[in-house]
Amino acid sequence: MNLTLQVWRQKGADSEGRFVTYRATDISEHMSFLEMLDVVNEEIIKAGKDPIAFDSDCREGICGSCGLVIDGLAHGPDRGATTCQVHMRRFTNGDTITVEPFRAKAFPVIKDLVVDRSAMDRIIAAGGYVSINAGGAPDGNSIPVPKGVADLAMDNAQCIGCGACVAACKNAAAHLFTSAKISHLGLLPQGAPERGRRAIRMVEQMDAEGFGSCSNEGECEAVCPKEISIASIARMNRDYMKAVAGT
Ligand code: SF4
Ligand code: FES
């Protein structure tokens, strides 16, 4: 395949960015999107120029490091998939593809397609943990947890912290991410004692980081590679309101 790429290039958070056009030639349809960018970078390096900066680590949909907006879609055209799981067979020979970073006030650009997502780490640090002594594995196994509750907690535990939900939201809200983290702990007996305090601390940190408000657009759920449900946002709001009201 031969493709034209319009790639966002930006030296740093305070620099102006712009789209730069690159040719991607002899691309195999079996390559992943990131492997295609590796090939383009090899040509850029051979020409003595600065390669395109982008994030990745596991390249198998687990770590949450990768994250590009491809043709206007966070993580690209595949539902339930991260950027590293998108393959070039999803595109057609001759296509022009735009590639941009995740854009949000709380995600400043570090360089090109790499953004600083440490605001999400600070939300976790504010309350995304269990600080009581929950015992060892035998203690965990001796606490009965209804199957439906365990499944729901594990569904939410799938969140990899990629930030696509923020990038897709017109308000740059982090509600899906924060609610997934609150749900996966708060639904289980070991996380229940701190459920209210956790909700208050994490929601307040989310607001302090400059993320926007949720207006129930559902774009976050549509792009989430782990298909976290927006029902988690409603659960977070209930936890928060009950905790603030002291009930
Ligand atoms: S909720 Fe989904 S889109 Fe948002 S950070 Fe978690 S895995 Fe990524
Ligand atoms: S590189 Fe780890 S999820 Fe894509």
Side-chain angles (χ1 to χ4, degrees):
M1 300 165 77
N2 294 316
L3 306 151
T4 303
L5 305 182
Q6 302 276 7
V7 182
W8 187 259
R9 304 295 315 257
Q10 184 173 341
K11 283 194 164 53
D14 300 326
S15 316
E16 273 194 21
R18 66 191 174 96
F19 282 105
V20 177
T21 304
Y22 297 97
R23 294 285 298 156
T25 51
D26 289 332
I27 299 298
S28 162
E29 62 176 4
H30 303 301
M31 279 181 186
S32 74
F33 198 84
L34 298 185
E35 284 169 337
M36 180 276 294
L37 285 180
D38 289 338
V39 169
V40 171
N41 267 346
E42 281 168 16
E43 293 305 314
I44 294 173
I45 291 166
K46 269 189 218 160
K49 297 194 173 148
D50 194 23
I52 302 160
F54 63 92
D55 248 343
S56 74
D57 189 359
C58 70
R59 296 203 176 193
E60 52 187 19
I62 298 169
C63 73
S65 302
C66 64
L68 302 175
V69 175
I70 303 168
D71 285 341
L73 291 169
H75 283 312
D78 290 330
R79 278 193 89 111
T82 53
T83 300
C84 59
Q85 294 174 302
V86 174
H87 284 83
M88 296 314 296
R89 51 185 168 270
R90 293 290 280 124
F91 302 91
T92 306
N93 186 32
D95 275 357
T96 296
I97 306 169
T98 60
V99 191
E100 301 169 74
F102 281 1
R103 297 187 192 277
K105 182 178 152 204
F107 290 169
V109 170
I110 296 172
K111 188 178 178 189
D112 297 338
L113 306 172
V114 180
V115 298
D116 179 355
R117 285 172 287 185
S118 56
M120 299 174 98
D121 297 337
R122 290 188 289 274
I123 293 174
I124 297 291
Y129 47 80
V130 170
S131 60
I132 61 163
N133 183 353
D139 303 292
N141 288 333
S142 67
I143 301 171
V145 180
K147 173 92 169 74
V149 173
D151 285 350
L152 196 52
M154 290 304 113
D155 285 350
N156 282 279
Q158 288 190 84
C159 169
I160 54 173
C162 63
C165 45
V166 177
C169 175
K170 69 174 188 178
N171 309 317
H175 285 55
L176 194 64
F177 161 76
T178 308
S179 66
K181 298 301 180 188
I182 286 175
S183 291
H184 105 250
L185 295 171
L187 286 166
L188 295 174
Q190 295 89 339
E194 294 169 289
R195 186 167 174 165
R197 189 177 67 174
R198 179 182 303 115
I200 290 176
R201 287 186 176 176
M202 293 180 76
V203 168
E204 287 180 352
Q205 189 64 37
M206 180 179 77
D207 291 342
E209 295 291 346
F211 293 104
S213 300
C214 174
S215 49
N216 287 318
E217 309 294 324
E219 295 289 330
C220 52
E221 184 185 78
V223 300
C224 174
K226 301 303 167 187
E227 302 184 304
I228 308 283
S229 166
I230 54 171
S232 297
I233 298 178
R235 187 178 306 107
M236 175 178 77
N237 289 340
R238 283 195 299 274
D239 282 2
Y240 178 78
M241 285 189 284
K242 280 166 73 178
V244 167
T247 57

